[in-house]
């Protein structure tokens, strides 16, 4: 079949039947132009995903009508933003993009008080703010907000939808791009769709994966991972009301949506446009790897998952093109990169870099980091990594076992070592972390803990040892420094910018104590901020140095649009990155050991013909003819020919 011809005939019919009420001629022109540009792809994708749906034409028409409604509900301010972003699609690649992610309640109390924290964000130069899910949730455990009972209502503890709209506007006025969660793999079991399914409504039972008995679930189960084995074994939950087994990849109260049903795609598209129209500029695609199930596979990263995301992206291009997607694929590195494309997810977490920074900190060796980044860092020039050191989740050791094997490292054994190291079960470790999701069957686990506690600050403060405190602070700066320099948007996890330690209070909260990720979900009170910013404690030193590095980053375009080259430093303890932008060059060197490291000066040949330059952080001059000396846990950013001041 000729999809091109088919789609233009289909589109013509749809356009003729659309209800255009409420649009002025210029709006109608804009919408039609975008339909012409993106519908053919959308149609092709839907045909691929739903090949046997005889009613696909009906669904396409219904979908486009919903897109039109979403477009119509978009206010003029956001429509202007659409135009602006289309003219400057690389806005997220600028060197002055710096992000933060936080929980509304932990960061500020509620949405109104978050507005009052905007000056704090500005003091950090934050212009990308990811707010953890703030939607209505069930009482008690809601997986930190990732069990959504209603995408259009705000959790009353945080405010209401008008507060959210007002905040979005205030952030926009302050030049801060808002990023919201798009939790589209599952809903809470008390979402109206799930409630209707429980009451036996066949239309809504089709929104989820429900089974009369365990036969089919057991066939699937054979190939599936378990994400939270500490709270429940297996991926299916018995529901008494419905008298069915329900697919629940995460917690028992998070019901996986059934995207083999085109009604689900359309319904979720509408929820997505509602979020877009609040005024966010990024949607974080939660757990996107899991959205398509295929018998006989692990039901992660399936080809149709990619097609669905591309189809959602087409819908945004038509109705709200200012909004970009950020992928949350915490999977094998070869799979992570497959989500990154201008037509799929423009942004992506970089879990490989995150995990390997911690690996290098533990081992004091950078070979796995270097080899892995050389293999996996390059992505489409239209896209950007979101580089982070910690986030609200645990650390999983998602490196490529083949790359590890090529360096003589056994992946399984090495993960075991890392888990021991970061959970206080390895003698001499500086880290204070907590094991998470222990799987008694596989012996797997993952690691929780705040940046500062994992980097040694908690132990050092307990021992009241200034030398250990200094080392811990340097580790904190070192890891952040890589994320500031390597290329992409660095996103600070709120609390880490002040070096806050683990908070064990969750252990006495019955809704939280089974989920150790709460250990690194720490509240930022005014007192804590005050003490960190103005005291003489180690936190104060962290703040000053991080802000200094960020101010250097902001000054030079090379940190934004510059191409990244991962260098081979011929020193097992040093990680080296070059950036190039026309005739401007940067060599960034990071020493992951407690000893001074010396390095062959020829690495500076990456700086162009002069092979020399000044450290942007200290002003010190470096040249290729000398051996370079990098202090313990040192960071050196040598620039040559840079624009900026
Ligand atoms: C994502 C979130 C995590 C949550 C899970 C289920 O991985 O980051 O916190 O538990 O999705 O929604
Ligand atoms: C798994 C999932 C990831 C999620 C995490 C939550 O690693 O792949 O999506 O963030 O579990 O702990």
């Amino acid at each position: 079949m000729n999809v091109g011809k088919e789609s233009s005939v289909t589109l013509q019919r749809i356009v003729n039947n659309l209800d255009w009420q409420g649009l002025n001629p210029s709006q109608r022109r804009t919408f039609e132009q975008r339909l012409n540009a993106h519908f053919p792809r959308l149609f092709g994708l839907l045909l691929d995903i739903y090949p046997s749906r005889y009613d696909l034409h009906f669904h396409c028409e219904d979908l486009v009508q919903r897109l039109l409604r979403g477009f119509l509900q978009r206010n003029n301010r956001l429509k202007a933003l659409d135009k602006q972003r289309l003219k400057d699609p690389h806005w997220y690649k600028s060197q002055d993009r710096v992000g933060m992610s936080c929980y509304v309640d932990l960061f500020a109390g509620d949405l109104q008080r978050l507005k009052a924290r905007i000056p704090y964000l500005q003091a950090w130069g934050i212009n990308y703010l990811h707010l953890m899910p703030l939607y209505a949730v069930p009482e008690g455990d809601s997986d930190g907000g990732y069990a959504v009972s209603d995408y259009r209502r705000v959790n009353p503890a945080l405010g209401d939808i008008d507060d959210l709209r007002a905040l979005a506007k205030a952030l926009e006025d302050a030049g801060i791009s808002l990023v919201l969660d798009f939790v589209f793999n599952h809903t809470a079991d008390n979402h109206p769709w799930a409630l209707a399914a429980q009451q036996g409504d066949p239309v809504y039972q089709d929104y989820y994966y429900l089974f009369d008995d365990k036969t089919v679930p057991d066939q699937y189960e054979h190939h599936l991972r378990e994400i939270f084995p500490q709270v429940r074994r297996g991926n299916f939950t018995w529901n008494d009301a419905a008298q069915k087994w329900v697919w629940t990849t995460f917690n028992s109260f998070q019901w996986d949506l059934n995207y083999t049903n085109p009604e689900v795609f359309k319904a979720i598209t509408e929820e997505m446009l509602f979020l877009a129209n609040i005024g966010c500029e990024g949607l974080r695609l939660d757990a996107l790897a899991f959205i398509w199930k295929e018998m006989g596979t692990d039901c992660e990263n399936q080809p149709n998952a990619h097609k669905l995301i591309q189809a959602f992206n087409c819908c945004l291009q038509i109705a709200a093109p200012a909004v970009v997607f950020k992928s949350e694929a915490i999977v094998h590195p070869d799979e992570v990169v497959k989500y990154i494309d201008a037509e799929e997810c423009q942004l992506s977490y970089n879990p490989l870099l995150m995990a390997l920074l911690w690996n290098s900190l533990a081992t004091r060796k950078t070979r796995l980091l270097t080899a892995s980044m050389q293999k996996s860092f390059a992505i489409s020039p239209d896209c950007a990594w979101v580089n982070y050191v910690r986030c609200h989740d645990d650390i999983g050791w998602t490196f490529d076992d083949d790359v590890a094997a090529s360096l003589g490292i056994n992946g399984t054994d090495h993960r075991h070592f890392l888990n021991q190291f970061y959970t206080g079960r390895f003698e001499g470790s500086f880290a204070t972390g907590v094991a998470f999701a222990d799987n008694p069957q596989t012996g797997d686990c993952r690691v929780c803990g705040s940046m500062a506690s994992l980097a040694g600050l908690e132990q050092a403060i307990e021992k009241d040892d200034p030398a250990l405190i200094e080392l811990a602070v340097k580790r904190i700066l070192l890891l952040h420094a890589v994320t500031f320099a390597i290329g992409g948007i660095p996103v600070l996890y709120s609390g880490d910018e002040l070096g806050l330690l683990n908070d064990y209070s969750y252990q006495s909260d019955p809704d939280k104590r089974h989920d150790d990720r709460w250990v690194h979900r720490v509240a930022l009170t005014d007192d804590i901020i005050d003490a960190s910013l103005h005291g003489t404690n180690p936190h104060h030193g962290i703040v000053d140095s991080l802000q200094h590095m960020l101010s250097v980053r902001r000054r030079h375009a090379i940190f934004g649009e510059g191409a990244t080259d991962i260098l081979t430093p011929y020193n097992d303890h040093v990680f080296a990155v070059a950036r190039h932008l026309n005739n401007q060059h940067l060599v960034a060197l990071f020493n992951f050991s407690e000893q001074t490291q010396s390095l062959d000066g020829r690495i500076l040949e990456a700086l162009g013909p002069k092979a020399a330059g000044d450290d942007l952080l200290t002003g010190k001059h470096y040249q290729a003819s000398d051996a370079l000396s990098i202090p313990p846990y040192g960071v050196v950013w040598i620039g040559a020919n840079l624009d900026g001041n």
Side-chain angles (χ1 to χ4, degrees), residues 114 133 152 184 218 341 360 511 565 626 628 637:
L114 206 153
R152 300 181 187 225
F184 71 127
D218 283 343
D341 187 275
S360 291
D511 291 333
D565 189 13
D626 304 336
L628 312 180
W637 290 350

Side-chain angles (χ1 to χ4, degrees), residues 123-142:
W124 277 95
I126 300 301
N127 47 23
Y128 165 117
L129 182 68
H130 168 217
L131 297 181
M132 302 297 299
L134 37 75
Y135 316 109
V137 289
E139 297 228 346
D141 187 3
S142 64

Side-chain angles (χ1 to χ4, degrees), residues 11 82 101 116 186 194 237 310 323 426 506 521 547 565 595:
L11 181 58
D82 288 335
S101 63
H186 45 262
T237 304
Q310 290 167 23
V323 183
F426 186 86
Y506 76 101
R521 298 172 178 175
Q547 292 196 342
D565 189 13
Q595 279 81 43

Side-chain angles (χ1 to χ4, degrees), residues 143 146 186 228 250 254 284 286-287 328 392-393 517 521:
D143 189 17
Y146 282 105
H186 45 262
F228 295 143
F250 294 90
Q254 289 162 298
R284 171 190 179 279
D286 182 64
E328 190 246 347
H392 68 289
D393 275 332
R517 290 176 296 172
R521 298 172 178 175

Side-chain angles (χ1 to χ4, degrees), residues 479-530:
L479 261 54
H480 279 115
V482 177
T483 66
F484 297 168
I486 194 167
I489 309 177
V491 174
L492 297 157
Y493 175 57
S494 156
D496 288 348
E497 80 279 21
L498 306 176
L500 299 190
L501 304 180
N502 287 345
D503 176 353
Y504 299 95
S505 61
Y506 76 101
Q507 287 171 349
S508 48
D509 182 335
D511 291 333
K512 294 181 174 163
R513 65 174 162 230
H514 57 276
D515 190 337
D516 294 296
R517 290 176 296 172
W518 288 101
V519 77
H520 55 250
R521 298 172 178 175
V522 183
L524 243 82
T525 61
D526 287 338
D527 290 348
I528 290 179
I529 293 181
D530 246 29

Side-chain angles (χ1 to χ4, degrees), residues 225 227-228 250 284 287 290 300 328 330-331 393-394 436 446 517:
R225 289 203 270 165
I227 305 298
F228 295 143
F250 294 90
R284 171 190 179 279
F290 298 88
E300 293 183 42
E328 190 246 347
I330 315 299
V331 291
D393 275 332
D394 44 286
F436 176 65
R446 311 199 290 268
R517 290 176 296 172

Side-chain angles (χ1 to χ4, degrees), residues 107 113-123 167 170-171 174 176:
F107 180 63
R113 281 181 280 174
L114 206 153
K115 240 162 88 177
R117 282 269 163 91
I118 289 178
Y120 176 78
L121 296 170
Q122 286 175 313
L167 176 67
L171 289 171
I176 300 174

